[in-house]
């Protein structure tokens, strides 16, 4: 049994939906279909979700809304016409879209979520109808009916544990269930959306609830690349990687999924495959809890820019009780978070994301650190990149660090930092941003190609 | 102008003192002589300081003390006889030693310090007398007279800032000043000793106070070895290293000085040279604030055993606010300190010294961490060694990390951890203890010989 989730670009037009229907019909195991709202048809197109945001804002500010409602309805109508979907469905969608502006706009914390969720919700109704025109026994199911109960946190809802059991009760439906992604209902019956990447979360929750064998996530790429296509010409795609490996890659710029999206399937130990709606023959990238590491110790090389490093040195620092605690306190007082904190004997570096700092807050931070710690040396370095070489079992492989550092040394890439040993899944190198492309290429050609 | 300090083994016998006199006479810049108590004459000998401890304990418990007082006096007497020192000096020493047992033993927090300090104090008197018999204009000076005022912390005194100015007032004495190491006086006039390695501290304070050009520290070795002689056959000695490099080496088992001993000379930017009383022609090891790193980027390779690593992994750990703080809290609650804490995306390792843990406290620690953090994975690895490759400007040298890791990989040394980037002076490798000797040898033959 499989959950299959389609992203917005896979559902943007009648042409794309033909591919989707073909995919669903191609495997009887695909019993649960999770859908996003219609995405962009072309580069310059507007997503239905963005139209809904504009519609919501116009409603809030009492501006004319007709322009938006017409365009949104038109997006569904085009697709419905192409498949000659039963008239009642479009009537329902239309009525729903027009009715949104009649909702109370004051003291209504769920208004924005209700507008946004309609994009997915109406699309699920439409797609269930499309499937039926194509001879597939399918029905739309509302998340409330399905039992998807969430915390009352508009825009940032969390699934409640009891939902899984309720979802499981739908496991043996004879029809394919078409489920709108991105939102659930509070116990009081209000619509609440997940944070960004919300349809991926819905797919992951349904996969965990239904205890399926596989969660298929259809996108518009063949899978996760081994390295950034901007740095390496036509990089390979990763065949298989573990959840932990994906987390490390995601952290360093491989933003395939929103951080929390795969938590439910991870906890339920359900594998996820990323596939391409436009190239479904491609095996895609499989995300598992465990993989055979003998064939491919390194799965990917990722990097991310925009880090700064604060260096603090003080003779006999390690004799001062609570020295690191005081550093953390200064960071907390200024609401700054840090990424890493490698420590030496008499020094410590704090790596943080630069975007947190303004000129003023940086000055304040440095002033506070100088005052609280009385260091011998204190300075900040900007413009750092973090490069991660990712692969399970990294620690057991004596040679990978040596190969990596040798490759970087040959290309004269200076290492500002190495972080190995915390993670069993990656080695992290801190370098100057200007050397990032050179470093990525050197590592790519060491472990791939 | 130089401060010259002699350790216990350099002052253990008349034969050793002949070398000392020769050294002092050999350079008119040697104006301030700091001395320890007489040390061991042979491998099985007892230091005067240890005899004083036994004498103190006998006094406290009302046991006979004659055995100890006789032996202590005899140690000074032998040397005095060999140099035919004026009789009055030995009479004063003898009287001082015998009078110690008449001090009040109740409500006397300075009793132990007063017993111990007499070892150095009497030796300074004796050595000033010896120098005079050899035609050197020298006088003993008591630390109180010198202005060495310390905090009232018996056994762990700290120098007060105003001492430096008072000491400086003695800078232009015509005679050589012979100063007992190891202790000062509180403002109330009580004797208080420094922590272990105290005579080195005295030398360092006098060097800073007198604003000398060099602090010569005479020991019984030719200097600091590049690597541990137990692992490498006849390692080189280091010609020159910086204070920071020395700190890193000291941390990892190169315990030449007690941690805090060189703080005053470090702050005053005075170079220190470690020389061998038994081989004064050898240039020794020079410790400076800055050195030319173009010739010798790596100065030493040190290692230390007895570390454990606690690995904590939790999916989306970095989204949990205060995760690391909670870890630190558990450590603090159990009065455990940690050495390093390399962090990954979803995991963190805490490196600590094993000697802090008992079977019970380890169980308690793991239980608390499991309870407080609810981690996906939690485990402890014992028997780790930390290896440090030390050298200023390490970060600017692209190749050193590559050379180090390649050397270790060739010898199949598995890296549990790398820590680079915090310190500008070292790279730290965590490995299994059983691979320590192999690792040290591999690194030694990469950078030396």
């Amino acid at each position: 049994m499989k959950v299959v989730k389609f992203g917005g670009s896979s559902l943007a037009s009648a042409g794309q939906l033909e591919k989707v229907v073909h995919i669903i019909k191609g495997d009887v195991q695909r019993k649960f279909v999770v859908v996003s709202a219609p995405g962009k048809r072309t580069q310059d197109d507007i997503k239905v979700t963005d139209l809904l945001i504009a519609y919501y804002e116009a409603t809030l500010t009492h501006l004319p809304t007709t322009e938006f409602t017409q365009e949104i309805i038109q997006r569904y109508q085009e697709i419905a016409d192409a498949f000659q979907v039963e008239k009642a469905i479009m009537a329902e969608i239309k009525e729903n879209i027009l009715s949104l502006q009649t909702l109370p706009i004051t003291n209504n914390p769920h208004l924005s979520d209700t507008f946004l969720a309609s994009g997915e919700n109406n699309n699920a109704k439409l797609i269930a109808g499309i499937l039926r025109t194509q001879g597939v026994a399918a029905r739309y199911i509302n998340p409330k009916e399905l039992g998807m109960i969430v915390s009352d946190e508009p825009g940032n809802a969390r699934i409640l544990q009891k939902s899984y059991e309720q979802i499981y009760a739908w496991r043996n439906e004879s029809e394919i269930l078409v489920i709108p992604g991105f939102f659930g209902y509070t116990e009081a019956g209000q619509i609440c959306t997940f944070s960004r990447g919300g349809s991926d979360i819905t797919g992951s929750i349904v996969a965990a609830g239904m205890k399926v064998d596989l969660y298929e996530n259809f996108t518009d790429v063949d899978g996760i690349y081994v390295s950034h296509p901007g740095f390496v010409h036509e990089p390979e795609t990763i065949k298989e990687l573990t959840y932990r490996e994906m987390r490390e890659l995601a952290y360093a710029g491989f933003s395939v999924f929103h951080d929390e999206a795969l938590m439910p399937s991870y906890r339920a130990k359900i594998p996820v495959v990323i596939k391409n709606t436009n190239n479904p023959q491609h095996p895609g990238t499989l995300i598992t809890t465990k993989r055979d590491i003998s064939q491919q110790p390194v799965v990917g090389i990722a990097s991310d820019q925009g880090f700064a490093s604060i260096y603090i040195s003080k003779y006999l620092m390690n004799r001062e009780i609570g020295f690191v605690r005081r550093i953390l306190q200064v960071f907390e007082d200024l609401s700054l978070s840090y990424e890493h904190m490698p420590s030496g004997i008499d020094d410590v570096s704090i790596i943080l994301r630069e975007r947190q700092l303004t000129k003023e807050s940086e000055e304040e931070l440095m002033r506070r650190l100088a005052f609280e710690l009385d260091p011998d040396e204190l300075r900040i370095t900007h413009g750092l990149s973090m490069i991660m070489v990712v692969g399970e079992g990294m620690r057991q492989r004596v040679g990978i660090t040596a190969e990596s550092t040798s490759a970087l040394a040959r290309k004269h890439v200076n290492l500002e930092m190495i972080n190995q040993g915390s993670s069993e899944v990656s080695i992290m190198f801190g370098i100057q941003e200007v050397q990032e492309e050179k470093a990525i290429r050197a590592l790519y050609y060491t472990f791939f190609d």
Side-chain angles (χ1 to χ4, degrees), chain A:
Chain A
M1 223 175 247
K2 298 176 184 173
V3 165
V4 51
K5 183 258 168 184
F6 294 95
S9 67
S10 303
L11 307 167
S13 66
Q16 288 299 87
L17 272 157
E18 272 179 31
K19 298 176 191 168
V20 167
V21 170
H22 191 74
I23 288 165
I24 293 169
K25 288 172 97 167
D27 186 345
V28 291
Q29 297 297 317
R30 292 173 176 140
K31 292 286 289 173
F32 311 102
V33 177
V34 175
V35 299
S36 298
K40 294 182 182 183
R41 291 159 295 188
T42 60
Q43 196 75 20
D44 308 325
D45 201 11
I46 303 172
K47 292 178 183 182
V48 165
T49 302
D50 289 336
L51 292 170
L52 286 164
I53 291 171
Y55 174 26
Y56 163 71
E57 283 169 357
T59 303
L60 262 194
T61 52
H62 306 288
L63 290 172
T65 58
T66 319
E67 181 197 344
F68 305 116
T69 53
Q70 279 183 351
E71 197 169 343
I72 295 165
I73 292 165
Q74 183 56 29
R75 291 292 304 269
Y76 294 106
Q77 188 70 57
E78 268 179 27
I79 297 167
D81 291 348
F83 286 95
Q84 298 184 301
V85 171
E86 349 161 15
K87 296 274 186 258
I89 290 177
M90 267 315 296
E92 194 184 329
I93 290 173
K94 199 167 167 178
E95 199 235 299
N96 169 267
I97 291 165
L98 291 170
S99 73
L100 288 169
Q101 59 198 307
T102 66
L103 292 169
I105 65 171
T106 51
N107 296 322
N108 186 355
H110 301 95
L111 185 64
S112 162
D113 291 31
T114 306
F115 267 80
L116 261 65
S118 76
E120 276 74 9
N121 199 35
N122 288 320
N123 212 25
K125 290 176 186 170
L126 178 62
I127 289 163
I130 291 171
L131 286 169
R132 287 195 294 273
T133 67
Q134 304 300 306
V136 180
R139 64 164 286 205
Y140 156 81
I141 185 165
N142 180 274
K144 190 194 275 180
E145 193 182 0
L146 186 65
M148 193 165 297
I149 312 303
V150 299
S151 63
D152 193 352
E153 298 171 89
N156 197 28
R158 280 154 212 269
I159 190 75
L160 300 188
Q161 197 56 35
K162 63 180 172 186
S163 301
Y164 293 110
E165 209 175 306
Q166 299 183 42
I167 292 168
Y168 187 76
W170 290 93
R171 190 171 198 264
N172 294 313
E173 282 293 291
S174 57
E175 294 166 301
I176 287 176
L177 297 180
V178 183
I179 305 157
F182 190 37
F183 72 101
Y185 283 81
T186 66
E187 299 201 88
Q190 297 288 351
I191 285 174
C192 248
T193 61
F194 299 118
S195 57
R196 282 181 47 199
S199 291
D200 289 326
I201 301 185
T202 301
S204 183
I205 292 167
V206 174
M210 298 294 184
K211 298 186 180 163
V212 297
D213 308 300
L214 182 65
Y215 170 20
E216 294 181 309
N217 192 298
F218 279 85
T219 62
D220 51 10
V221 291
D222 281 340
I224 301 176
Y225 291 120
V226 157
S227 186
H228 196 292
F231 293 144
V232 178
H233 180 64
E234 292 187 3
E236 302 174 18
T237 54
I238 301 171
K239 284 186 188 61
E240 185 179 344
L241 81 171
T242 65
Y243 275 97
R244 298 205 298 180
E245 289 170 332
M246 188 206 58
R247 278 280 300 151
E248 307 267 336
L249 290 173
Y251 174 80
F254 274 51
S255 49
V256 182
F257 287 108
H258 183 59
D259 265 7
E260 292 175 17
L262 295 190
M263 184 66 117
S265 53
Y266 167 75
R267 295 264 181 233
K269 296 192 177 11
I270 293 166
V272 179
V273 65
I274 297 168
K275 286 181 69 86
N276 190 349
T277 301
N278 308 312
N279 186 20
Q281 304 314 315
H282 193 287
T285 296
L286 184 65
I287 305 166
T288 54
T289 49
K290 208 176 161 125
R291 70 176 179 90
D292 173 15
I293 59 169
S294 61
Q295 296 302 310
Q296 185 60 274
V298 174
V299 295
I301 295 150
S303 62
D304 203 7
Q305 301 197 335
F307 292 90
S309 172
I310 294 173
Y311 174 79
I312 302 170
S313 139
K314 184 171 189 178
Y315 199 70
L316 291 182
M317 171 191 289
N318 68 354
R319 290 297 202 84
E320 280 189 45
I321 290 162
F323 196 88
V324 169
R325 276 272 224 118
R326 273 182 286 156
I327 295 174
L328 294 183
Q329 192 60 54
V330 171
F331 270 69
E332 198 167 315
D333 290 350
L334 300 176
S335 299
L336 296 170
S337 66
Y338 69 93
E339 302 292 310
H340 302 287
M341 194 169 46
S343 60
I345 309 310
D346 282 341
D347 38 29
V348 61
S349 291
I350 301 119
I351 316 287
L352 70 165
R353 290 195 185 267
E354 282 175 327
R355 62 170 182 246
Q356 295 183 93
L357 296 174
T358 60
K359 195 165 173 304
E360 289 71 35
S361 71
E362 178 176 326
E363 277 173 19
E364 170 73 5
L365 173 64
M366 298 304 272
R367 201 161 46 229
R368 282 286 304 279
L369 290 172
F371 178 77
E372 303 274 352
L373 307 170
D374 188 26
D376 294 344
E377 229 181 308
L378 172 67
R379 64 167 184 275
I380 185 164
T381 308
H382 287 283
L384 298 180
S385 284
M386 293 294 143
I387 301 208
M388 318 252 292
V389 177
V390 176
E392 291 274 351
M394 193 65 89
R395 261 195 354 201
Q396 279 70 55
R397 297 286 182 135
V398 179
I400 288 174
T401 308
E403 283 181 65
S404 302
T405 52
S406 299
L408 295 171
R410 275 196 303 275
K411 295 290 177 184
H412 305 287
V413 175
N414 247 317
L415 296 176
E416 301 287 324
M417 184 192 107
I418 304 180
N419 195 348
Q420 180 189 333
S422 43
S423 171
E424 303 191 309
V425 186
S426 71
I427 315 173
M428 189 183 294
F429 300 102
I431 61 166
Q432 293 289 335
E433 277 174 8
V434 291
Q435 298 198 300
E436 181 175 339
E437 179 166 352
K438 196 161 73 170
I440 292 281
R441 290 175 57 85
L443 292 168
Y444 180 84
Y445 291 110
T446 300
F447 295 110
F448 301 99
D449 213 81

